[in-house]
Amino acid sequence: MNILMVTSEAVPFAKTGGLADAVSALSIALSKLGHDVRIVLPRYYRIDRSALELIPGPMGVHCGYQEIWTGLYTTKLPGSDVPVYFIDHEQTYGRDGIYGVPGETDFNDNPQRFSLLGHAAFQLCRKINWMPDIVHAHDWAAALAPILLKFHGEYHDFSSTASVFTIHNMGYQGVYGKHQYPHTGLSWDSFYAAGFEDWDRMNFLKAALVSSDKLTTVSPTYAQEIQRPEYGFRMDGILRYRSQDLIGILNGVDTEIWNPAKDKLIPVRYTAKTLDKKAENKKALQKRMGLEENPNIPIVGMITRLADQKGVSELFGPAYGSAYRICTEIDLQMVILGSGEDWCEKELSTLNRELPNFSAYIGYDEDLSHLIEAGSDFFLMPSRYEPCGLNQMYSLIYGTLPIVRRTGGLVDTVQNYNEQTGEGTGFILDNLTPQSIYDTVGWAAYAWYNKPKHIRAMQLQGMKQKFGWDISAKKYEDVYKSALLEK
Ligand code: ADP
């Protein structure tokens, strides 16, 4: 099959979250299954043009009010034959930030910026003379592609192409004033028919949920949860209506990058057979984070966007968050890597100053994220909701026991500790409250000190889990086939 991935993020070019990892890894896995997979995304300012190949001639994209003349660059995804195409338009994408910058977290002209991406995806196919069987769009910023396929008269030549839309996070929908709607280039009839209308505003995600042939999300449990009001972000009704077309497929892990036996970013590599070597990474982590170098105290690690979704309010909320109590009442060390909301960054700095067994690094740091996975004993993810989550899977692979909330992909990947039998791969909390985070971290630390055999058995059990993209790619292949069959 010819598959075009339309996305606003793809590693290693542009990333704000798990979406970027998923798109690239899935593309490579599908291409290994023999499909011709190509990716299209904007060329943001930070993507260096000199490392790319220019496709000669400007590309005219008829987009809303105007014809926009873009440039087109290409390269291959590193380590693969998957072509990546970059839409180049200085005025639209030539700035820092994918969706916004600090101070303007959502660019005012995002409807226009991402409408251009949707139209350019089809224009690209014409220009390179390549017809996709499947247009696979990811999250609201790429939502226009499946919508155009169904509702825009200009794309008749794609009438045998089917569309798949993947929800990586329901919390981000692309909702704007309807005066921006003309940028989509669609008629006002489609404002209602395609499902844009949302309390008299326009909603990109909603329209993709209505218009795409098949919908997927990144774990089976999240696919069920988003059909309920608590998790559906107001879209639960549409998703219940479309439940026959909604499939949950767990994200895989790129085991070339996240593998303690091969990881070049950690001081000492190890496997399940040489798990004792993990202690050397723990020592290195303690050193790097300025903590006491002591093998006899458990480390709880965390790598996260500092956003409410991740449970950071309950953990670090001034006065009521449980981190202070955890660090003062439980004998452990805590290591946090993250960036995000202002209040939370400030709170982390305060805890850094006040607690000798707490160390936070505020920022984005790929190397440190690998060291935290390799050097920690536990990994904390008390998410409010979690479409899939990657770090709990990395943790299992690295023999680092996840402490997670019972939601989304965390349910599909972590098996709760049974203190009678010693079975399980992690520790699960049900309610997102400061007390329950405290209790569950306390439970994990108790097991670490008192049930070392159970802890070791859980680590080994976790390290056996298989999260390869090859498994997920086959499931996407089935979705593509049924989308084409039902077209
Ligand atoms: P989300 O996409 O909701 O942020 P995921 O768990 O799906 O959450 O993916 C997050 C990815 O981003 C993981 O690969 C994680 O290691 C990485 N990450 C998040 N914050 C940081 C950070 N501050 N430094 C390095 N990597 C980070």
Side-chain angles (χ1 to χ4, degrees):
M1 272 182 263
N2 288 355
I3 302 155
L4 180 66
M5 299 286 179
V6 188
T7 181
S8 53
E9 301 183 26
V11 287
F13 310 107
K15 167 168 168 171
T16 68
L19 155 71
D21 297 292
V23 169
S24 297
L26 172 61
S27 301
I28 292 174
L30 284 164
S31 105
K32 283 188 184 151
L33 290 177
H35 300 294
D36 184 349
V37 189
R38 306 187 184 202
I39 300 176
V40 58
L41 79 158
R43 191 200 69 82
Y44 306 105
Y45 173 69
R46 280 171 187 266
I47 302 174
D48 181 10
R49 264 189 291 224
S50 66
L52 310 173
E53 184 191 326
L54 176 71
I55 298 183
M59 182 170 83
V61 183
H62 192 69
C63 182
Y65 301 108
Q66 47 185 328
E67 184 87 0
I68 297 178
W69 290 93
T70 67
L72 198 55
Y73 286 85
T74 187
T75 188
K76 296 271 168 71
L77 261 191
S80 80
D81 278 332
V82 174
V84 186
Y85 299 94
F86 299 89
I87 310 299
D88 190 43
H89 190 254
E90 201 60 36
Q91 194 188 327
T92 310
Y93 302 127
R95 50 183 107 162
D96 249 349
I98 296 177
Y99 311 105
V101 285
E104 189 190 1
T105 50
D106 189 20
F107 291 127
N108 206 16
D109 58 349
N110 273 345
Q112 189 177 355
R113 295 174 74 231
F114 294 111
S115 289
L116 176 61
L117 174 64
H119 284 276
F122 295 102
Q123 210 53 29
L124 159 76
C125 296
R126 287 171 175 157
K127 187 169 166 90
I128 61 173
N129 203 11
W130 178 83
M131 187 51 70
D133 299 298
I134 298 289
V135 164
H136 186 167
H138 299 264
D139 272 357
W140 79 264
L144 198 65
I147 305 164
L148 292 175
L149 197 58
K150 194 154 185 181
F151 288 95
H152 201 289
E154 224 184 85
Y155 300 116
H156 285 313
D157 41 336
F158 293 86
S159 59
S160 49
T161 301
S163 65
V164 175
F165 180 77
T166 296
I167 306 156
H168 293 261
N169 193 328
M170 285 299 293
Y172 301 88
Q173 302 191 352
V175 183
Y176 297 94
K178 70 177 180 187
H179 62 281
Q180 303 248 39
Y181 179 71
H183 290 301
T184 64
L186 288 158
S187 72
W188 279 102
D189 287 349
S190 306
F191 184 69
Y192 298 96
F196 279 104
E197 198 278 334
D198 182 16
W199 292 90
D200 211 32
R201 306 191 81 206
M202 71 179 290
N203 182 325
F204 277 95
L205 180 91
K206 178 168 174 280
L209 299 182
V210 169
S211 308
S212 306
D213 293 325
K214 291 282 171 192
L215 305 171
T216 73
T217 188
V218 288
S219 68
T221 298
Y222 195 58
Q224 296 307 314
E225 284 178 345
I226 56 179
Q227 298 181 49
R228 306 206 309 259
E230 309 92 279
Y231 291 97
F233 283 90
R234 303 182 300 114
M235 298 298 129
D236 48 292
I238 295 172
L239 290 165
R240 283 196 298 279
Y241 180 71
R242 296 228 47 199
S243 63
Q244 292 303 311
D245 295 316
L246 170 63
I247 303 107
I249 302 173
L250 198 67
N251 276 340
V253 167
D254 186 339
T255 44
E256 288 301 306
I257 299 174
W258 292 99
N259 181 347
K262 293 186 186 171
D263 193 335
K264 294 202 176 66
L265 299 175
I266 60 175
V268 181
R269 289 178 268 288
Y270 59 95
T271 62
K273 285 208 179 91
T274 57
L275 188 51
D276 286 339
K277 287 191 189 168
K278 188 169 160 61
E280 294 174 53
N281 293 303
K282 177 166 174 173
K283 193 169 178 209
L285 177 63
Q286 286 169 325
K287 187 161 187 219
R288 163 94 197 252
M289 299 304 285
L291 293 166
E292 183 197 350
E293 287 174 41
N294 177 357
N296 300 318
I297 186 166
I299 302 183
V300 176
M302 197 169 173
I303 305 162
T304 186
R305 284 186 290 118
L306 301 174
D308 187 56
Q309 178 202 333
K310 302 293 182 182
V312 294
S313 306
E314 284 71 11
L315 197 51
F316 303 117
Y320 67 91
S322 51
Y324 188 87
R325 263 186 79 209
I326 289 173
C327 288
T328 47
E329 295 176 15
I330 305 172
D331 211 4
L332 50 68
Q333 294 176 333
M334 208 164 182
V335 166
I336 318 286
L337 164 63
S339 62
E341 287 175 20
D342 242 11
W343 71 264
C344 195
E345 292 191 355
K346 285 199 186 103
E347 195 55 29
L348 291 181
S349 306
T350 308
L351 293 171
N352 244 350
R353 276 196 307 275
E354 288 186 8
L355 297 167
N357 55 340
F358 179 95
S359 182
Y361 179 88
I362 295 161
Y364 194 92
D365 190 323
E366 202 74 32
D367 293 14
L368 181 55
S369 73
H370 283 249
L371 184 58
I372 291 177
E373 286 295 0
S376 302
D377 298 287
F378 299 104
F379 192 93
L380 181 57
M381 264 177 110
S383 305
R384 186 171 307 284
Y385 69 95
E386 195 59 77
C388 174
L390 291 171
N391 280 107
Q392 85 281 11
M393 295 193 273
Y394 302 159
S395 300
L396 290 166
I397 294 170
Y398 279 69
T400 303
L401 300 179
I403 302 170
V404 301
R405 184 164 167 255
R406 195 185 301 279
T407 186
L410 302 173
V411 178
D412 297 321
T413 47
V414 180
Q415 191 198 339
N416 203 10
Y417 172 49
N418 177 332
E419 47 201 7
Q420 259 74 50
T421 63
E423 282 169 329
T425 56
F427 299 82
I428 301 188
L429 57 117
D430 279 288
N431 302 314
L432 182 54
T433 60
Q435 184 64 42
S436 145
I437 299 173
Y438 172 90
D439 289 342
T440 314
V441 172
W443 181 35
Y446 176 85
W448 195 85
Y449 283 112
N450 297 291
K451 306 274 185 182
K453 283 196 181 132
H454 283 182
I455 292 285
R456 177 55 69 115
M458 289 166 79
Q459 287 177 299
L460 295 176
Q461 184 62 25
M463 292 176 90
K464 268 198 234 153
Q465 311 292 308
K466 296 267 174 277
F467 298 116
W469 270 103
D470 47 339
I471 306 164
S472 319
K474 289 211 179 78
K475 295 186 177 157
Y476 278 101
E477 198 178 44
D478 291 341
V479 173
Y480 299 153
K481 281 183 192 153
S482 65
L484 284 169
L485 211 66
E486 292 167 28
K487 209 173 151 59

